[in-house]
Amino acid sequence: MKLPKALSKVIEDFEKLPGVGPKSAQRLAFYLLHVPQHTLEQFALDLTNLKKETVMCAVCYNIGDVSPCYVCSDTSRDKSTICIVEDALDVLALERSGTYRGLYHVLHGVIDPLNSIGPDDIYIPQLLSRVKTLDGQISEIILATNPTMEGEATAMYLVRDLKALNDILK
């Protein structure tokens, strides 16, 4: 059976999303085909507003409604601890646990030479600048990268650079 072009296009678009395979893409597209028009229009508006209304924190590179983000604006946070994470989803997971009360730095990726992603392509230079600016105020840096080859390589790179920065600041 040949599907209408518009439906095929939506299925193709869903398949581009992480974790969505062909069958899930079809289910989602057919679901949207059958929802009321106002629901579909609201969904389209929400997707459009997602990019327009979401900003990146100028301090930690987390995402939010405003910059600085809610974490950087919270005066009760432990400013002596920074947890370095790969993605804003990691911040969300740690915040849900309710146990971590320090600051964050979101890299927005990992070093991945096979895909031409180097240290300057993620927020490592900004991290080093931030640590340098906060010289003496930081007592602990937590590296919370994923235990993948790229995550481990990124963590090792950060350890090397942070140690070198610490030696310079002494």
Side-chain angles (χ1 to χ4, degrees), residues 50-145:
L50 174 66
K51 279 290 222 185
K52 288 180 185 175
E53 297 176 7
T54 303
V55 298
M56 191 176 302
C57 177
V59 179
C60 72
Y61 302 95
N62 190 17
I63 57 170
D65 296 325
V66 295
S67 179
C69 69
Y70 73 95
V71 174
C72 292
S73 300
D74 186 349
T75 57
S76 68
R77 303 292 293 208
D78 177 4
K79 307 254 189 255
S80 68
T81 305
I82 295 180
C83 181
I84 302 168
V85 297
E86 292 179 16
D87 192 79
L89 277 173
D90 300 322
V91 173
L92 185 61
L94 288 165
E95 286 297 294
R96 280 186 181 150
S97 76
T99 57
Y100 179 71
R101 295 294 303 153
L103 301 176
Y104 296 97
H105 187 87
V106 182
L107 297 173
H108 288 277
V110 289
I111 297 171
D112 186 0
L114 294 176
N115 289 307
S116 301
I117 300 171
D120 292 339
D121 297 317
I122 56 178
Y123 290 88
I124 290 176
Q126 293 83 346
L127 169 66
L128 298 174
S129 175
R130 184 177 178 198
V131 169
K132 190 175 182 180
T133 303
L134 297 172
D135 180 32
Q137 299 174 40
I138 301 172
S139 62
E140 183 177 21
I141 295 176
I142 302 165
L143 297 174
T145 56

Side-chain angles (χ1 to χ4, degrees), residues 86 109-111 144-158:
E86 292 179 16
V110 289
I111 297 171
T145 56
N146 290 312
T148 61
M149 189 167 59
E150 296 83 5
E152 294 293 329
T154 302
M156 288 176 20
Y157 181 91
L158 287 169

Side-chain angles (χ1 to χ4, degrees), residues 26-39:
Q26 282 181 348
R27 279 193 294 275
L28 290 169
F30 273 93
Y31 168 79
L32 291 176
L33 188 62
H34 296 294
V35 298
Q37 184 66 27
H38 69 278
T39 303

Side-chain angles (χ1 to χ4, degrees), residues 7-32:
L7 184 59
S8 294
K9 178 68 176 124
V10 170
I11 292 169
E12 288 173 22
D13 289 341
F14 276 128
E15 285 180 359
K16 294 174 186 173
L17 298 173
V20 178
K23 288 183 181 182
S24 293
Q26 282 181 348
R27 279 193 294 275
L28 290 169
F30 273 93
Y31 168 79
L32 291 176

